[in-house]
Amino acid sequence: MSVRVALIVGSLREGSYSRHIAQAIKELAQPALDLVPVEFGDLPLYNPDLDTDAPPAAWTRFREEVATTEAVLFVTPEYNRSIPGGLKNALDVGSRPYGHSVWQAKPAAIVSVSPGAVSGFGANHHLRQPLVFLNMPTLQQPEAYIGNVAALLDERGKLTNPGTRDFLKAFADAFAAWIEKTKA
């Protein structure tokens, strides 16, 4: 029986490296994990004044989509040694109104992706900080930093490196075991 997991990609760009790696993980994780993409690009910036009985429709859609999952996998690029602003906004939208967070106690994992050698280390670790506050038990090992990603994909964005494929499969398996271990 598979676990329904929100797949949240930190990049808004359709052909981003993060999206390609997320797709590869989605394929490798089956059947243990049912990775369901949850998009956040249409979310207005979080403003408590808008969080009324009739919040923006995009907020409601996002909250409902995340709420129907049992865990969350984040695949993100690094922007200026941190996470993209849209991803931070998605965390904020999902955590409100106070006391009604859709993130509460959901097991999580993070994969950071970069065309450079540093592999999105800053984004990976910056994302961990709000996940602690949101009470999302986050997979510690194996850590997943995918550097020099352009060399791992073909012109269509398909993963070509067998070692990376094996690593991502092992990561997905470890995440499935983590979800089982930490589920409330």
Side-chain angles (χ1 to χ4, degrees):
M1 185 161 167
S2 70
V3 176
R4 188 171 165 85
V5 178
L7 176 59
I8 299 182
V9 177
S11 176
L12 298 177
R13 190 169 67 83
E14 187 62 36
S16 73
Y17 295 130
S18 296
R19 286 194 186 279
H20 293 313
I21 293 297
Q23 182 59 38
I25 296 169
K26 181 176 171 56
E27 293 166 7
L28 293 165
Q30 295 171 356
L33 302 177
D34 177 19
L35 296 175
V36 180
V38 177
E39 299 295 334
F40 62 82
D42 62 338
L43 299 178
L45 290 176
Y46 185 75
N47 176 347
D49 291 342
L50 301 177
D51 219 350
T52 64
D53 289 339
W59 290 3
T60 301
R61 179 219 28 102
F62 180 80
R63 290 168 175 165
E64 288 173 355
E65 287 181 13
V66 174
T68 66
T69 63
E70 300 172 69
V72 183
L73 174 61
F74 296 94
V75 181
T76 187
E78 180 173 289
Y79 289 2
N80 301 314
R81 298 282 188 252
S82 188
I83 60 174
L87 179 53
K88 176 59 169 78
N89 185 54
L91 293 174
D92 294 343
V93 167
S95 71
R96 298 290 190 264
Y98 186 79
H100 299 280
S101 174
V102 298
W103 309 115
Q104 178 62 29
K106 288 190 190 296
I110 302 167
V111 177
S112 55
V113 178
S114 173
V118 180
S119 312
F121 179 87
N124 196 302
H125 285 262
H126 278 198
L127 183 52
R128 289 174 187 277
Q129 186 175 8
L131 298 189
V132 169
F133 179 79
L134 296 171
N135 194 29
M136 297 179 77
T138 305
L139 179 67
Q140 300 300 307
Q141 293 292 329
E143 294 178 291
Y145 310 101
I146 310 300
N148 300 310
V149 68
L152 306 174
L153 302 168
D154 66 18
E155 62 281 346
R156 296 168 304 160
K158 296 292 184 188
L159 194 58
T160 60
N161 184 284
T164 303
R165 183 178 291 108
D166 292 346
F167 171 76
L168 292 176
K169 173 66 172 133
F171 178 85
D173 292 346
F175 186 37
W178 177 249
I179 294 167
E180 193 59 38
K181 181 178 180 178
T182 59
K183 275 198 306 194

